[in-house]
């Protein structure tokens, strides 16, 4: 068998023995010849004894798990009364942990985009031990000192269990360079909860918030109006789009139900595959798909109208409007909806009535939809990662790790 030699990369140790079986056990000894007396804080060079052996899990080598064994040196202080002894501490481990610091970071890196139980299974250690690494290395709340300015805040809600109505609120900063930063995970989305968090942002940073993107939820809007009166509230374009697209889709479901009753089975089955084309961006459809969609519209002219209105509204948001011209365009669109006689958009028209100001604020510092979409995709991924984690501190740590883990702990 060919052998290689690789550096151990642990400072201030010499290797005493190395045993390679299923795992690799490396016995080391400290080369540091002193300790700081825990009583007087002075350096002592008077060796006393070796302490109890520590077995520390370290980063794997060639797929084998690695254990570092070390008996910490103890030193006696000649200056202090009773000559107390102090156990030496080296930089690469923490005596309260069963892992080297490098292994803690390694575990953390494995956890990004994965789950704690999965990492625990792969590493052959307990769930709590992986959690312990996260607790040691990841903050439970944001460190404001790290942040220079906030610019745009986002308020989103996440459901902790699929289909549940218990929401927690996610507060993010959407920075001009495209980075999403997690600022807080709040226990609910009530106005007072959100408001008190916003007030807890240091004055210096609060003054840098110019815009807050929200889902159309009264509690968010009121909290922002009170705690950040200088900030412009923007109804998140993604949520606005979802709201009117859902209206069109509601009609699509009704039409589908009716066609199922009125058409022969073969005819209906032929159309069934076409239904999902309705939901897609028309620009993504090829010629054949457009043809099939046209066939569907021949059977259902209402659906064609709803589809056209939906796309017209999207086009308004794609256009480089001012707030005033955007508002006028939306009002023209509302008149077209009323003339069409369609009722599927009723709930969206109500939303428009309540939120037109916030919705048209979008046009003021209109950011490209790609920019907005980038954040929303990140938030969407985060939301999906939250199911089942109900401890808010852990939730913050996990999300924080997903968002910033590679930057903070990557190699
Ligand atoms: Zn001393």
């Amino acid at each position: 068998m060919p052998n290689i030699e690789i550096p151990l990369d642990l400072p201030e140790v010499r290797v005493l023995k190395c045993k390679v079986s299923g795992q690799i056990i490396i016995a080391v000894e400290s080369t540091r010849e002193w300790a700081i007396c825990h009583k007087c804080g002075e350096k002592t060079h008077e060796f006393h004894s070796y302490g109890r052996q520590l077995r520390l899990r370290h980063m794997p080598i060639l797929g084998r798990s690695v254990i570092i064994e070390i008996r910490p040196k103890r030193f006696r202080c000649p200056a202090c009364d009773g000559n107390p002894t102090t156990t030496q501490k080296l930089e690469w481990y923490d005596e309260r942990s069963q892992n080297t610091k490098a292994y803690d970071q390694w575990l953390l890196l494995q956890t990004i985009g994965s789950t704690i139980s999965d990492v625990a299974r792969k590493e052959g250690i307990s769930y709590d031990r992986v959690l312990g690494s996260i607790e040691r290395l990841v903050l439970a709340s944001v460190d404001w000192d790290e942040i220079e300015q906030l610019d745009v805040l986002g308020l989103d809600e996440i459901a902790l269990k699929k289909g549940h109505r218990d929401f927690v609120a996610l507060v993010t900063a959407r920075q001009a360079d495209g980075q999403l930063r997690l600022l807080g995970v709040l226990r609910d989305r009530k106005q007072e909860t959100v408001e008190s968090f916003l007030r807890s942002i240091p004055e210096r940073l609060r003054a840098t918030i110019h815009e807050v993107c929200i889902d159309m939820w009264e509690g968010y809007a009121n909290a922002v109006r009170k705690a950040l009166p200088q900030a412009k509230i923007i109804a998140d374009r993604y949520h606005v789009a979802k709201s009117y697209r859902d209206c069109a889709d509601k009609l699509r479901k009704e039409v589908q139900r009716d066609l199922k009753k009125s058409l022969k089975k073969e005819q209906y089955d032929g159309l069934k595959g076409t239904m999902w084309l309705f939901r897609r961006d028309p620009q993504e459809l090829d010629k054949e798909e457009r043809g099939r969609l046209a066939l569907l519209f021949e059977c259902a002219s209402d659906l064609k109208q709803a589809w056209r209105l939906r796309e017209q509204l999207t086009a308004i948001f794609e256009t480089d409007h001012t707030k005033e011209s955007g508002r006028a365009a939306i009002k023209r669109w509302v008149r077209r909806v009323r003339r069409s006689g369609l009722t599927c958009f009723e709930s969206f028209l109500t939303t428009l009535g309540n939120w037109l100001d916030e919705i048209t604020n979008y046009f003021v510092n209109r950011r490209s939809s790609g920019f907005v979409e980038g954040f929303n995709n990140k938030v969407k991924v985060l939301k999906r990662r939250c199911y089942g984690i109900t401890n808010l501190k852990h939730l913050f740590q996990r999300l924080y790790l997903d968002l910033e883990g590679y930057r903070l702990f990557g190699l």
Side-chain angles (χ1 to χ4, degrees):
M1 286 277 257
N3 288 307
I4 58 161
E5 212 169 274
I6 49 174
L8 184 58
D9 254 354
L10 294 176
E12 295 184 284
V13 298
R14 86 167 64 89
V15 176
L16 299 174
K17 210 167 54 185
C18 181
K19 201 179 123 204
V20 181
S21 50
Q23 57 183 9
I24 298 173
I25 298 171
I26 304 167
V28 301
E29 181 184 54
S30 161
T31 55
R32 194 196 277 180
E33 300 298 345
W34 50 269
I36 301 291
C37 169
H38 68 269
K39 226 162 173 190
C40 66
E42 293 294 322
K43 229 183 211 182
T44 158
H45 288 83
E46 207 171 291
F47 178 77
H48 174 264
S49 60
Y50 287 100
R52 198 170 49 82
Q53 187 192 62
L54 301 175
R55 287 172 61 85
L56 302 162
R57 183 76 179 258
H58 193 48
M59 277 146 59
I61 299 174
L62 294 175
R64 291 170 206 247
S65 53
V66 172
I67 306 282
I68 305 282
E69 291 180 344
I70 184 169
R71 294 184 65 185
K73 287 178 173 173
R74 303 174 69 205
F75 291 82
R76 183 172 27 217
C77 179
C80 281
D81 272 353
N83 304 121
T85 56
T86 299
T87 305
Q88 183 187 65
K89 294 182 181 88
L90 296 178
E91 302 307 324
W92 50 269
Y93 67 89
D94 182 330
E95 69 280 8
R96 286 159 303 176
S97 164
Q98 298 168 278
N99 305 331
T100 65
K101 287 182 180 171
Y103 187 63
D104 267 346
Q105 292 211 359
W106 160 265
L107 283 181
L108 230 57
L109 216 51
Q110 307 309 306
T111 314
I112 299 171
S114 179
T115 65
I116 294 184
S117 26
D118 192 46
V119 173
R121 204 175 313 132
K122 283 183 181 140
E123 293 290 312
I125 57 178
S126 71
Y127 182 95
D128 286 342
R129 201 158 149 193
V130 181
L131 197 60
S133 306
I134 296 178
E135 301 247 287
R136 274 191 293 278
L137 292 180
V138 184
L139 298 167
S141 60
V142 69
D143 179 4
W144 296 114
D145 290 342
E146 265 189 5
I147 299 175
E148 266 173 53
Q149 57 177 59
L150 291 170
D151 300 328
V152 183
L153 284 199
L155 295 173
D156 293 272
E157 59 260 342
I158 43 182
L160 295 183
K161 286 179 192 147
K162 229 173 191 137
H164 266 239
R165 308 289 302 165
D166 300 336
F167 291 111
V168 299
L170 203 63
V171 188
T172 52
R174 295 149 188 230
Q175 292 174 324
D177 60 0
Q179 250 230 91
L180 185 71
R181 291 192 82 131
L182 182 63
L183 303 179
V185 179
L186 315 184
R187 95 181 76 88
D188 56 49
R189 53 173 191 168
K190 289 189 187 126
Q191 180 185 335
E192 56 269 32
T193 311
V194 178
E195 194 181 322
S196 66
F197 178 83
L198 295 177
R199 287 189 194 282
S200 78
I201 299 174
E203 185 73 63
R204 150 188 90 83
L205 286 172
R206 239 184 299 156
T208 66
I209 302 171
H210 309 299
E211 299 174 5
V212 185
C213 280
I214 63 168
D215 189 1
M216 291 165 284
W217 168 253
E218 227 17 85
Y220 291 154
N222 289 334
V224 175
R225 280 182 201 117
K226 289 209 162 152
L228 306 166
Q230 85 289 355
K232 201 185 283 296
I233 299 175
I234 302 169
D236 191 275
R237 187 189 151 171
Y238 170 83
H239 288 112
V240 176
K242 185 170 184 320
S243 170
Y244 65 77
R245 294 183 67 88
D246 282 353
C247 289
D249 212 47
K250 203 175 67 193
L251 181 66
R252 197 256 318 157
K253 284 178 198 154
E254 282 170 22
V255 167
Q256 192 165 357
R257 237 185 341 254
D258 291 346
L259 288 178
K260 193 172 182 177
K261 278 183 217 152
S262 62
L263 293 179
K264 291 201 187 90
K265 188 172 182 310
E266 314 85 75
Q267 277 178 311
Y268 174 74
D269 285 348
L271 282 177
K272 216 161 81 179
T274 307
M275 288 298 180
W276 65 273
L277 295 177
F278 176 84
R279 305 186 62 178
R280 281 185 33 201
D281 177 352
Q283 285 172 353
E284 287 173 10
L285 302 180
D286 62 27
K287 206 172 162 216
E288 187 262 349
E289 289 169 328
R290 277 200 299 272
R292 276 161 66 199
L293 198 57
L295 210 65
L296 169 69
F297 288 158
E298 268 174 39
C299 306
S301 60
D302 273 8
L303 201 55
K304 181 178 186 176
Q305 228 173 352
W307 180 83
R308 201 177 262 162
L309 285 163
R310 184 192 84 189
E311 291 306 317
Q312 282 168 354
L313 190 52
T314 300
I316 293 173
F317 283 103
E318 288 292 333
T319 306
D320 200 0
H321 279 294
T322 62
K323 179 169 168 130
E324 289 67 34
S325 71
R327 178 196 295 267
I330 290 174
K331 288 201 159 154
R332 281 195 299 276
W333 180 85
V334 170
R335 284 197 291 274
R336 281 201 292 274
V337 172
R338 298 230 186 275
R339 273 201 306 272
S340 75
L342 290 177
T343 55
C344 62
F345 289 106
E346 276 310 314
S347 63
F348 181 69
L349 295 186
T350 308
T351 303
L352 269 183
N354 294 334
W355 294 92
L356 190 60
D357 194 46
E358 290 79 8
I359 289 173
T360 48
N361 272 346
Y362 166 75
F363 295 110
V364 178
N365 281 325
R366 184 179 175 280
R367 294 166 197 277
S368 80
S369 57
F371 182 82
V372 178
E373 217 168 280
F375 287 129
N376 282 313
N377 283 336
K378 280 184 196 165
V379 171
K380 217 155 75 182
V381 172
L382 290 184
K383 285 181 179 185
R384 249 184 267 130
R385 305 267 296 122
C386 295
Y387 294 127
I389 307 175
T390 47
N391 177 318
L392 289 187
K393 192 177 105 191
H394 289 167
L395 196 54
F396 180 89
Q397 290 174 324
R398 294 305 309 282
L399 297 178
Y400 185 76
L401 202 50
D402 275 0
L403 267 182
E404 317 212 21
Y406 284 118
R407 183 172 66 80
L408 295 171
F409 305 107
L411 303 169

